[in-house]
Amino acid sequence: MDTQPSATATAEPLLLDAALPEFRYSRLECAVIAAAPDVVYRAARDLDMLSIHSPLFDVVMWARGVPDRVRRRPVATPPSMRVSDLFDTAATDGQGDAEVQPWVALGERAGREIVFGAVGKVWKPTIEWRRVEPGDYVGFEEPGWAKMAAAFVVHPYGARRSLLTYEARTACTDPASTARFGRYWTLVAPGVGIVLRGTLRAVEAAAESRAGST
């Protein structure tokens, strides 16, 4: 029996590829979860990023607020940071406050993929955010900024499990910002991996809890 893939078969494009097709920096983590894809997707969509806790994760998040603490400035912390809020409120909120919520919804394929992004100067001691609305994100090219996009994608994995990937990409809008981000990335890349893996563990726990209760 011929088991070779068809020469005409093509991979389905990702929504993330449409949002940020060209990028210099990226990190991708994945997890196999004992729950159906629709359950895993809902758990990822409903995730409150501020609910994620582990010793290493908490250290990484605390470190991000150090510059503000040194300057005796309050560290802005919203009451919640749910992925679903970016999508469920996008149609009604209009222009948002970049300091409160710089992340915006960039695309969703229900049950399969959800993409969100932000624009900022993350290499600064206190991050400077630039609110860019979803319709302007892809074409945003103003020099001096980093464009960041992230996505959860769920794949069936056998009969009873799912493969969840969490990918984060960054592209900068000019050579100078690329150099600045490159130096920043050298320092934070290990921490980014900790954050992504901590997020996957939180989704896994929520999804498997839901699967066990049905």
Side-chain angles (χ1 to χ4, degrees), residues 24-173:
R24 179 77 174 269
Y25 305 95
S26 68
R27 186 76 184 237
L28 186 148
E29 301 286 346
C30 60
V32 174
I33 299 176
D38 62 322
V39 175
V40 174
Y41 184 81
R42 288 198 302 272
R45 196 180 192 278
D46 293 343
L47 178 69
D48 182 354
M49 297 291 192
L50 299 185
S51 70
I52 302 167
H53 294 287
S54 73
L56 283 175
F57 183 89
D58 289 345
V59 167
V60 170
M61 299 308 291
W62 180 87
R64 290 186 66 108
V66 166
D68 283 329
R69 293 186 181 94
V70 169
R71 292 169 173 78
R72 299 182 181 275
R73 293 178 53 183
V75 180
T77 303
S80 67
M81 194 178 295
R82 296 184 187 279
V83 176
S84 59
D85 289 345
L86 302 178
F87 292 80
D88 296 342
T89 62
T92 57
D93 280 0
Q95 296 291 323
D97 183 346
E99 293 300 319
V100 175
Q101 182 50 274
W103 293 86
V104 296
L106 295 179
E108 180 175 17
R109 184 179 291 125
R112 164 77 175 181
E113 184 178 4
I114 192 164
V115 185
F116 44 99
V119 174
K121 297 180 180 180
V122 295
W123 52 82
K124 287 192 168 186
T126 299
I127 297 174
E128 180 181 345
W129 296 105
R130 168 70 180 272
R131 176 79 179 193
V132 175
E133 296 304 314
D136 301 323
Y137 181 89
V138 174
F140 180 81
E141 297 180 350
E142 182 180 317
W145 298 93
K147 295 172 63 175
M148 296 157 286
F152 291 111
V153 184
V154 183
H155 310 263
Y157 193 80
R160 299 181 179 179
R161 295 186 293 171
S162 303
L163 176 67
L164 175 65
T165 64
Y166 186 17
E167 182 176 3
R169 299 177 179 178
T170 300
C172 297
T173 53

